[in-house]
Amino acid sequence: MKIKQIDRDGVVVLQLDGKIMGGPDATAINDKLHELVEAGKTNIVADLAGVNWMNSSGLGILISGLTTIRNAGGDFRLAAVTDRIRSLLMITKLLTVFETFETTEEAIQSFS
Amino acid sequence: MKSKSKQEYKLRIPSQTDNLELIRGFIGKVAEKVGFNEDEVGKIELACDEACTNVIKHAYADKDTDKALDIVIKIDYQKFTVIVTDHGRGFDPKSIKMPDLNEYLAELKVGGLGIYLMRTLMDKVDYNIQPGVRNQVKMVKYFINKENADLVKSEKEV
């Protein structure tokens, strides 16, 4: 999995690419989110357009990310979720926990 | 060709996280071959990924990467069965409970969703644990429409 950070209008977009499966992916996302919290950046959008596979460990990473950012007073929102990942979020009812948006642009605007 | 009463596919592979993609590919290709649609294939692949991840992480505790993971797919006219066998540390199947999803969501718990996914994505999940001998998890997906069953039936009759 790769992470690319884009800062826009006080919002940080994390473009995630590849498979999210725990282990090194968990460390990479966790470290990135803690770095952002320390820098006072807590309005976060995870752009999942490039994520083609996720298992329960990957879902755990997203849940953990949401807890970290909400505890810091911000929010961790999801954008451009592919059908496969949306189906997974639906089965686990996580769609009721995360705010999700069709596009990254809409997710960024949602913070204003 | 003599007609087969069942079709069986086997894979023996080292118990390593980086082999999960190969395992998913193997299971996915067979599921596709017998006529499951893309959505169903994805669900079967994910359930099996969760089962194998549990073996690598718990039965072999991420240490015995030279130990084998045996995957057998059995197909008959009504169901697609995947059996994952390991020879690692066993557990009491009764200790495995279906997670209460509402509790998970309320507390934003991390982990344990794998069992929930296996049971939700497959029609039936059974464990057969023989400590010191072998551990097996059997996952079943029934063919949901007549066309799938007919396809397997006709292949059997070739």
Side-chain angles (χ1 to χ4, degrees):
Chain A
M1 183 207 63
K2 288 178 189 161
I3 307 177
K4 186 178 170 192
Q5 179 180 337
I6 299 163
D7 290 66
R8 267 217 22 219
D9 306 331
V11 177
V12 174
V13 177
L14 296 179
Q15 280 182 348
L16 307 180
D17 200 40
K19 300 176 175 64
I20 307 184
M21 301 183 60
D25 298 338
T27 312
I29 295 180
N30 202 31
D31 288 354
K32 171 57 78 180
L33 291 177
H34 279 94
E35 175 195 314
L36 292 172
V37 167
E38 276 177 29
K41 297 175 178 179
T42 57
N43 291 341
I44 316 289
V45 173
D47 179 341
L48 301 181
V51 177
N52 51 16
W53 175 266
M54 196 184 290
N55 58 11
S56 65
S57 304
L59 289 174
I61 295 171
L62 294 185
I63 295 170
S64 176
L66 180 70
T67 308
T68 302
I69 297 300
R70 283 196 181 160
N71 284 345
D75 203 13
F76 184 71
R77 300 178 182 172
L78 308 181
V81 183
T82 57
D83 287 347
R84 176 173 275 195
I85 307 299
R86 180 173 293 277
S87 158
L88 190 54
L89 292 171
M90 203 177 287
I91 289 166
T92 51
K93 298 187 187 172
L94 285 169
L95 275 182
T96 63
V97 172
F98 286 95
E99 272 203 61
T100 60
F101 297 86
E102 286 293 317
T103 64
T104 303
E105 198 55 46
E106 286 173 51
I108 293 170
Q109 295 306 320
S110 73
F111 279 105
S112 54
Chain B
M1 189 188 285
K2 193 179 172 185
S3 68
K4 289 184 286 184
S5 58
K6 283 179 183 174
Q7 290 179 41
E8 203 169 285
Y9 299 81
K10 292 181 181 179
L11 176 70
R12 170 168 280 193
I13 194 162
S15 156
Q16 296 164 6
T17 307
D18 56 7
N19 280 335
L20 286 169
E21 191 161 3
L22 273 172
I23 295 170
R24 290 198 303 271
F26 165 67
I27 291 165
K29 287 287 176 200
V30 178
E32 207 178 298
K33 181 175 181 277
V34 298
F36 283 110
N37 65 32
E38 197 187 335
D39 182 50
E40 293 296 323
V41 169
K43 288 177 176 172
I44 293 168
E45 282 182 10
L46 181 53
C48 297
D49 178 284
E50 298 293 347
C52 294
T53 300
N54 281 344
V55 171
I56 296 167
K57 297 227 171 295
H58 303 298
Y60 291 140
D62 264 335
K63 288 174 193 157
D64 300 324
T65 52
D66 56 333
K67 294 269 177 69
L69 194 60
D70 286 306
I71 294 148
V72 177
I73 302 173
K74 292 183 176 182
I75 299 153
D76 62 30
Y77 71 95
Q78 62 167 175
K79 62 188 184 298
F80 183 92
T81 306
V82 183
I83 301 167
V84 177
T85 306
D86 70 79
H87 302 276
R89 203 171 53 188
F91 59 92
D92 179 5
K94 286 179 197 153
S95 67
I96 296 181
K97 289 180 185 137
M98 184 71 159
D100 179 342
L101 214 54
N102 290 328
E103 190 187 320
Y104 262 76
L105 298 179
E107 297 177 18
L108 289 179
K109 276 190 184 176
V110 177
L113 279 176
I115 299 288
Y116 174 84
L117 283 175
M118 283 164 62
R119 292 198 186 274
T120 308
L121 300 173
M122 300 300 276
D123 295 320
K124 204 173 162 195
V125 178
D126 288 318
Y127 293 92
N128 184 346
I129 308 297
Q130 296 178 26
V133 184
R134 58 152 178 73
N135 311 308
Q136 274 189 339
V137 54
K138 185 164 93 172
M139 294 165 283
V140 176
K141 190 86 177 169
Y142 291 99
F143 294 115
I144 49 170
N145 57 40
K146 195 175 170 296
E147 288 77 20
N148 282 332
D150 286 349
L151 176 70
V152 176
K153 252 183 171 175
S154 65
E155 286 193 358
K156 270 171 34 184
E157 285 156 7
V158 172

